[in-house]
Amino acid sequence: MFFRILTAIACVAGIAGCTSYSGPAHNTDVVTLANGTQAYRVQCLGLLESSKTCMAEVKRICGDKPAMRISSVDHITSDLKSENNPREITFQCATPVAEQPVQPAPVVVAPVPVPAVAPAPAPVRHAPQRKITLQGDATFAVGSATLTPVATAKLDDFVAANQGVDIERMTIAGYTDSTGSAELNNRLSAARARSVQGYLATGGLRASKWDVEGYGSASPVAPNTTAIGRAKNRRVEIQVDGK
């Protein structure tokens, strides 16, 4: 009788409607909950029955679907003590959640290291070339102030070595051997010195002062008695002073 009273209270308080059917060892009700959904309520009230009987009926009703217990009422002894043996179970058969396919872990691609760009080496700056001598028949044609390719190659190196140098004074001195008249030698040596000056200036060399002179056969560096000595004396000396 006590359980029937509880059942009636449940139908009034939380269940909007009840439909009953019975088995040999239990009573099963199809009930409508207050939220409008349907559920089952199994009662196992016989003296020889237990919660196992109710659970067997729950399993039979739900089959392979998991049972979701909504409420349960424990068996009460004559002194109103609970036996931890539920004899009334209200439940729903939950729809099993379809197993989600296991997504493979994303493949993390390590970034390709960007090779460090080595800084460009600083340009090597050579020490300025202070002095150069154009000497011999390979630097000028015989009796001429025209520079040969050998002479211009040497002057190009000289210009490159002194680019950006603040030159205070550029001295260019032309010389000849002792053959020929003094007037001819002075004129030829000066023409060759001016030819060198023009080439250097065209190449980009700048000087605060240009000292360009022809000295003829003066100041020989070798004897004029041999062809080798005379070739050494035919020369143009270039001197850089200051920065």
Side-chain angles (χ1 to χ4, degrees), residues 29-109:
D29 298 327
V30 179
V31 299
T32 302
L33 302 180
N35 61 5
T37 60
Q38 286 191 339
Y40 298 94
R41 184 177 59 233
V42 177
Q43 295 175 319
C44 304
L45 305 176
L47 295 176
L48 300 179
E49 298 165 2
S50 67
S51 61
K52 293 182 179 180
T53 305
C54 288
M55 293 305 299
E57 177 63 9
V58 170
K59 185 175 181 181
R60 185 192 68 78
I61 293 173
C62 290
D64 294 334
K65 298 179 181 178
M68 183 175 65
R69 184 179 300 192
I70 297 173
S71 65
S72 61
V73 178
D74 198 25
H75 183 264
I76 303 298
T77 62
S78 59
D79 56 358
L80 300 180
K81 291 183 179 180
S82 174
E83 291 184 343
N84 194 22
N85 185 13
R87 298 296 186 90
E88 180 179 312
I89 302 173
T90 303
F91 64 96
Q92 288 179 318
C93 298
T95 302
V97 179
E99 292 186 2
Q100 298 296 326
V102 178
Q103 298 293 333
V107 178
V108 179
V109 180

Side-chain angles (χ1 to χ4, degrees), residues 10-32:
C11 287
V12 173
I15 304 175
C18 301
T19 301
S20 300
Y21 65 92
S22 300
H26 60 81
N27 293 325
T28 301
D29 298 327
V30 179
V31 299
T32 302

Side-chain angles (χ1 to χ4, degrees), residues 157-220:
D157 292 340
F158 184 78
V159 170
N162 290 280
Q163 283 291 345
V165 176
D166 186 11
I167 300 173
E168 295 178 4
R169 182 178 181 180
M170 177 78 72
T171 301
I172 303 175
Y175 298 92
T176 65
D177 59 24
S178 60
T179 59
S181 64
E183 180 182 358
L184 174 62
N185 289 336
N186 289 336
R187 186 169 63 249
L188 181 59
S189 61
R192 288 176 173 176
R194 288 192 298 270
S195 180
V196 170
Q197 177 193 18
Y199 192 88
L200 295 178
T202 302
L205 285 191
R206 298 292 181 266
S208 299
K209 183 179 180 181
W210 294 85
D211 188 358
V212 182
E213 295 288 344
Y215 296 99
S217 61
S219 303

Side-chain angles (χ1 to χ4, degrees), residues 1 11 35 113 116 134 227 232:
M1 177 63 68
C11 287
N35 61 5
L134 302 180
K232 291 181 179 180

